[in-house]
Amino acid sequence: MNSASRTTQASQSPPGASHAADAASARRVLATEVAGLQALQASLGDEFGRALDVLEQGDRIIVSGMGKSGHVGRKIAATLASTGAPAYFVHPAEASHGDLGMIATGDVVLALSNSGETAELAGLLWYVKRFGIRLVAITGGGGSNLAQAADVALVLPGVPEACPMGLAPTTSTTMTLALGDAIAIALLERKGFTPSRFGDFHPGGRLGQRLVKVGDLMHVGTELPVVAPDTSMAEALIEMSAKSFGCVAVVDPQRRLLGIVTDGDLRRHMNAGLLSQTASEIMTTRPKTIAAEALAAEAVRIMNETGKGITSLFVVADDRLVGLVHVHDCLRAGVA
């Protein structure tokens, strides 16, 4: 059949029927892979914790795998590295041609192979045994050479591949990827990994914007609008205007924040004697504040939740003024 005939035949097929068959195929694939993940979840036991014990002891986690396992391994290594477990990927074929030198005696190897008999891993297995490097395996072959060589083997359950021919790695790679995520998150939780530390590894992109801290954005030093409690409102207004934040902090000699004067306070106290009053007579006590270690997103939430048009928050440490963050600073940083 030539291409013109195929095109004519395709154009005569009801598109709705074809699309329905496509969707049914997709649902079968997803159902098969979901079943695989459920079987994996049910299969986990003490060996998972023992694998974490081994991985946690390594200076670095060296992930290796061939083919589709290699692609999955690269993602697992990236996830581990981004969640506080130093890791990188070593290609098993390249390892036998010099890259074994990238693996040190204090490292731990995480090797991936569905069959457990991947020929390219042979050099890697020889190397770890020769130099006493600990090995964790993820494999579908419980009796394979890889599983036997490993200090701990995480054996995938024997479930069908989503490929109708049972050939293309599909369910097996999904299980391996999910198990890698489970390892990374479990290690993260063991270490008490914090959002702040996560932000250190993700300074760019949308994720980095969400993890920006108040201390990264706040104004400090001479930029801060500050007056003493006995400062006249005439002088306080000059300080407010000079610093352009629409507010001024009232602090004692130890820089403890006693209160703030805002544009709203000025409107509420507007009368002929306003300028002769002191800042302490006009200020709002117990203002909302934030810590420098807090996420900038938290500052935006506080400013928004009051419904009073707050645009600035003073930053304190042990009740002492250390900075000021403005909503515009957060918006410029992409935090909203």
Side-chain angles (χ1 to χ4, degrees):
M1 183 184 295
N2 59 35
S3 60
S5 299
R6 286 195 298 270
T7 302
T8 301
Q9 189 178 57
S11 66
Q12 293 172 346
S13 301
S18 176
H19 294 169
D22 293 339
S25 175
R27 282 190 288 270
R28 284 195 302 272
V29 170
L30 295 176
T32 303
E33 298 199 356
V34 166
L37 291 175
Q38 290 172 334
L40 175 62
Q41 180 186 38
S43 72
L44 293 181
D46 291 342
E47 75 286 346
F48 183 77
R50 289 189 281 110
L52 294 184
D53 292 340
V54 174
L55 293 168
E56 196 173 35
Q57 293 168 11
D59 295 333
R60 299 169 302 178
I61 299 173
I62 312 303
V63 185
S64 190
M66 192 71 189
K68 302 299 187 296
S69 292
H71 294 307
V72 172
R74 290 181 188 276
K75 191 274 179 185
I76 292 174
T79 300
L80 287 165
S82 72
T83 52
Y88 61 89
F89 180 82
V90 171
H91 194 287
E94 297 293 342
S96 295
H97 293 274
D99 282 2
L100 285 172
M102 300 169 69
I103 307 173
T105 53
D107 296 334
V108 174
V109 171
L110 176 61
L112 318 177
S113 170
N114 190 38
S115 68
E117 303 294 347
T118 303
E120 290 83 357
L121 285 173
L124 182 65
L125 298 184
W126 167 83
Y127 185 81
V128 299
K129 288 304 176 184
R130 178 181 177 186
F131 292 99
I133 297 168
R134 304 198 73 184
L135 172 67
V136 173
I138 297 179
T139 179
S144 65
N145 285 327
L146 176 59
Q148 297 303 311
D151 293 276
V152 182
L154 299 176
V155 180
L156 302 175
V159 296
E161 298 285 7
C163 168
M165 296 175 290
L167 300 175
T170 45
T171 309
S172 60
T173 50
T174 297
M175 289 190 296
T176 303
L177 181 62
L179 189 53
D181 287 342
I183 289 170
I185 299 306
L187 288 173
L188 175 155
E189 291 175 348
R190 276 193 177 196
K191 295 177 180 179
F193 199 66
T194 64
S196 176
R197 287 291 292 142
F198 196 76
D200 291 340
F201 299 133
H202 298 79
R206 184 63 181 167
L207 192 56
Q209 293 167 355
R210 289 173 53 194
L211 296 171
V212 170
K213 290 178 280 190
V214 169
D216 299 325
L217 304 177
M218 69 183 186
H219 301 267
V220 298
T222 57
E223 297 180 50
L224 298 179
V226 178
V227 296
D230 57 356
T231 302
S232 71
M233 282 305 301
E235 295 178 48
L237 280 171
I238 293 173
E239 178 71 359
M240 286 179 65
S241 299
K243 302 302 170 61
S244 302
F245 291 114
C247 60
V248 64
V250 183
V251 301
D252 67 11
Q254 287 74 44
R255 299 281 287 187
R256 286 190 292 262
L257 183 64
L258 305 177
I260 64 171
V261 178
T262 68
D263 292 332
D265 293 317
L266 296 179
R267 289 192 294 273
R268 285 188 291 272
H269 293 83
M270 187 64 67
N271 58 59
L274 172 64
L275 297 183
S276 63
Q277 293 181 278
T278 64
S280 62
E281 295 173 307
I282 302 299
M283 71 183 184
T284 295
T285 58
R286 296 190 297 277
K288 290 186 178 295
T289 59
I290 196 164
E293 296 78 20
L295 295 178
E298 174 69 3
V300 173
R301 184 191 66 78
I302 293 172
M303 286 187 266
N304 287 336
E305 73 178 0
T306 63
K308 297 180 180 179
I310 293 178
T311 58
S312 297
L313 286 175
F314 283 103
V315 185
V316 298
D318 298 325
D319 294 328
R320 287 174 168 78
L321 179 66
V322 296
L324 176 148
V325 63
H326 193 277
V327 67
H328 290 166
D329 303 319
C330 298
L331 294 176
R332 278 192 292 269
V335 180

